[in-house]
């Protein structure tokens, strides 16, 4: 009986430990970001935020001196990265964050995990939002956090976090993934913006989203869908360009502060391979943290360790990966020895 009780207690401890999942922290030492803290929130079902964000965090920590905390949605029983899970341990790290980089999709988090995000937004902490962050939250109407839902229709916070903070909620696809890539054409009038220093012609592998950002947004690049998966593919003549990257400010809940925001409807794992797109994201993080004077045209944007992105698709994440396994800078993101198990499509 004693042994069975001890075993049960041990199992409970293991489950609790797995549910907590220690955050992944990269400590920078030298660079303009020294003394600044960036918190990354990764958890989307399709575009491999669990690869994009730690790769970006390593660049910002090692080359530019930031402390970078990367949080993942994890399986509450195993502690392994699970992009579909509604479990994001460690959000209390936002309490002293100087920037939040958000790449979530349709999350309905427990109150103790959601409240630190709300507190951060209430103080108008700077935000960089990638791809599905426009629809980061899908929250029931009877929840205390319902106003952050991407379809929230209350007059106090229409279309939730996406529209009110990032400047746009999700309106739908505008270009088919893996068939139509996207060229991001820099807006000539915005070329002098710090986020675009050294940026010439970003090209991304993800298909587009249709967007009409809030009128107070400054559009940096227009997304032009292409008929093909190379940067020189022909323009999709039936699809005129729409905003694909923009900046704006939002206001703290008490009305006393403004927070910088950069939003792009791209950022999938394979998008990060493009030099111009990666440079734009690194620049955006420095700008969001108030360090625009440190942005140069030749800022170091080299990957730290091997970057081996998985093809983005639903259920296409590498299995059996715990966040702490990525702590060593020489460990690839992600290891190709980790399996990918594509779930079978349900018959309708």
């Amino acid at each position: 009986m004693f042994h069975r009780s001890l075993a049960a207690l041990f199992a409970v401890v293991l489950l609790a430990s797995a549910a907590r999942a220690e955050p992944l922290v990269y400590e920078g030492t030298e660079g303009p970001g020294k003394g600044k803290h960036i918190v990354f929130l990764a958890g989307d079902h399709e575009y491999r935020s669990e690869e994009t964000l730690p790769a970006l965090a390593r660049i910002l920590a090692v080359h530019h001196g930031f402390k970078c905390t990367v949080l993942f949605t994890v399986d509450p029983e195993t502690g392994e990265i699970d992009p579909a899970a509604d479990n994001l341990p460690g959000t209390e790290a936002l309490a002293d964050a100087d920037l939040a980089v958000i790449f979530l999709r349709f999350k309905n988090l427990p109150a103790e995990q959601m409240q630190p995000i709300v507190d951060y937004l209430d103080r108008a902490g700077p935000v960089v939002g990638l791809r599905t962050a426009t629809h980061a939250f899908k929250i029931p109407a009877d929840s205390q956090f319902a106003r952050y839902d991407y379809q929230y229709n209350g007059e106090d916070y229409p279309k939730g976090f996406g529209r009110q903070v990032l400047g746009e909620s999700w309106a739908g696809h505008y270009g088919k993934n893996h068939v139509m890539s996207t060229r991001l054409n820099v807006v000539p009038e915005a070329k002098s913006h710090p986020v675009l220093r050294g940026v010439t012609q970003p090209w991304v592998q993800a298909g587009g989203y249709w967007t009409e950002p809030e009128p107070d947004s400054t559009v940096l690049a227009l997304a032009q869908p292409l008929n093909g998966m190379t940067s020189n593919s022909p323009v999709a003549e039936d699809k005129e360009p729409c905003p694909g990257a923009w900046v704006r400010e939002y206001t703290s809940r008490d009305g006393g502060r403004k927070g910088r925001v950069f939003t792009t409807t791209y950022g999938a794992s394979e998008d990060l391979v493009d030099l111009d797109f990666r440079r734009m994201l690194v620049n955006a993080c420095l700008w969001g943290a108030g360090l625009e004077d440190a942005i140069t045209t030749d800022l170091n944007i080299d990957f730290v360790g091997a970057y081996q992105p998985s093809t983005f698709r639903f259920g296409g994440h590498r299995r059996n990966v715990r966040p702490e396994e990525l702590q060593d800078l020489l460990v690839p993101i992600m290891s190709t020895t980790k399996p990918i198990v594509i779930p079978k499509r349900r018959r309708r």
Side-chain angles (χ1 to χ4, degrees), residues 17 26 65 79-80 87 124 150 208 210 220 252 255 297 302 345:
S17 176
Y26 299 119
E80 294 172 356
N87 178 45
Y150 80 107
W210 179 258
L220 302 183
S252 62
T297 58
D302 291 344
R345 288 188 177 185

Side-chain angles (χ1 to χ4, degrees), residues 8-187:
L9 178 61
F10 185 62
V12 168
V13 171
L14 283 178
L15 285 174
S17 176
R20 284 197 301 271
E22 292 301 314
L24 180 65
V25 180
Y26 299 119
E27 290 276 4
T29 55
E30 295 298 331
K34 186 175 182 179
K36 297 277 191 177
H37 183 199
I38 305 178
V39 176
F40 298 77
L41 309 182
D44 85 289
H45 304 65
E46 181 176 8
Y47 296 103
R48 307 281 67 84
S49 57
E50 75 279 359
E51 298 182 357
T52 296
L53 294 194
L56 183 59
R58 284 184 179 181
I59 292 169
L60 288 161
V62 173
H63 298 320
H64 306 295
F66 290 93
K67 174 184 177 182
C68 292
T69 299
V70 189
L71 308 178
F72 302 86
T73 52
V74 298
D75 184 307
E77 294 187 359
T78 67
E80 294 172 356
I81 295 171
D82 180 359
D86 281 339
N87 178 45
L88 183 64
T91 55
E92 61 273 10
L94 287 164
D96 68 354
D98 299 289
L99 175 68
V101 181
I102 299 178
F103 196 164
L104 302 174
R105 177 183 182 272
F106 289 162
K107 294 304 172 193
N108 179 27
L109 302 174
E112 67 272 14
Q113 296 176 5
M114 187 66 186
Q115 189 60 54
I117 298 174
V118 171
D119 293 343
Y120 183 83
L121 299 177
D122 281 352
R123 67 175 171 94
V127 174
V128 167
L130 275 62
R131 191 63 172 174
T132 57
T134 58
H135 43 298
F137 303 109
K138 188 175 183 180
I139 301 174
D142 61 353
S143 167
Q144 62 180 308
F145 304 113
R147 71 197 300 258
Y148 298 95
D149 182 86
Y150 80 107
Q151 291 182 315
Y152 182 70
N153 58 12
E155 294 183 1
D156 58 321
Y157 212 66
K159 295 189 177 179
F161 163 78
R163 190 72 181 179
Q164 295 304 311
V165 176
L166 300 186
E168 179 61 301
S169 185
W170 188 49
H173 283 268
Y174 191 59
K176 190 174 181 181
N177 287 332
H178 306 301
V179 175
M180 302 174 72
S181 59
T182 309
R183 184 181 301 146
L184 291 170
N185 296 318
V186 171
V187 175

Side-chain angles (χ1 to χ4, degrees), residues 80 310 317-322 325 334-341:
E80 294 172 356
S310 308
H317 67 285
R318 297 278 176 188
R319 265 49 171 191
N320 310 327
V321 180
R322 294 175 62 91
E325 293 179 47
M334 293 284 187
S335 172
T336 55
T337 64
K338 299 290 187 176
I340 295 175
V341 183

